[in-house]
Amino acid sequence: MILVSSCLAGIECRYDGTHRLKEKIRCLVEEKKAVTVCPELLGGFFTPRQSAEIVGGTGKDVLAGNAKVIEKSGRDVTDLYVKGAYKTLEMALKLQVTHVVLKQFSPSCGSKAIYNGTFSGERIQGEGVTSALLSKTGIIVLSEEDLYYL
């Protein structure tokens, strides 16, 4: 089974109420080869919500307690991101997931790059909180750019 970011399947759950539909992902879900997940909603957020970025590092640093996830307004939402990551891991283990396809650049789901924490649109190499946790447990985390692997 494959776990995929809900927004990539066309569900309007991104922070701004939009989706980032990838037709191949939608087909995998329709064929019951993939299940959707939104770590941020699992963590307790609603749609729409403020944008957030990791400040002081990457998802690995957040999990280690050395960085925070901060909304544009300055509110610390680290606990909600960590909660969503662990709920996603629980779901992945229950479904015996081997691969996860998550939305690139997200503070939850970015698998190769995330925004740098300054809300300037600049990106850095690194994983979001959920990607870091899933990778750490041996689950293969891909971005929507890696769909040719499936």
Side-chain angles (χ1 to χ4, degrees):
M1 182 60 66
I2 301 168
L3 202 59
V4 298
S5 285
S6 297
C7 64
L8 296 175
I11 298 170
E12 295 174 335
C13 60
R14 295 183 74 236
Y15 76 95
D16 59 1
T18 64
H19 62 76
R20 290 291 187 255
L21 176 66
K22 294 292 180 186
E23 201 55 40
K24 183 169 184 174
I25 296 289
R26 186 187 59 75
C27 289
L28 289 170
V29 172
E30 285 180 357
E31 294 166 2
K32 308 254 188 274
K33 294 178 181 174
V35 174
T36 62
V37 66
C38 178
E40 294 173 18
L41 294 182
L42 287 178
F45 287 101
F46 297 96
T47 301
R49 57 192 168 276
Q50 284 191 45
S51 63
E53 295 186 8
I54 297 173
V55 175
T58 67
K60 288 179 184 176
D61 299 311
V62 171
L63 293 170
N66 299 322
K68 295 187 178 297
V69 185
I70 305 295
E71 288 181 332
K72 194 169 188 175
S73 67
R75 181 173 79 126
D76 184 339
V77 290
T78 304
D79 290 346
L80 295 174
Y81 275 81
V82 171
K83 178 181 174 185
Y86 276 96
K87 285 191 171 206
T88 302
L89 174 60
E90 183 180 311
M91 185 177 178
L93 294 174
K94 182 178 179 181
L95 294 171
Q96 299 179 341
V97 165
T98 57
H99 291 73
V100 179
V101 181
L102 298 175
K103 178 69 185 98
Q104 194 64 288
F105 313 125
S106 158
S108 288
C109 299
S111 61
K112 296 176 188 164
I114 56 173
Y115 290 102
N116 71 358
T118 64
F119 296 93
S120 64
E122 293 182 42
R123 299 173 184 154
I124 59 171
Q125 286 187 338
E127 299 172 295
V129 180
T130 299
S131 292
L133 181 63
L134 297 176
S135 295
K136 188 170 120 176
T137 64
I139 296 171
I140 298 168
V141 179
L142 305 170
S143 78
E144 69 273 23
E145 299 163 356
D146 300 320
L147 289 177
Y148 55 89
Y149 286 118
L150 300 177

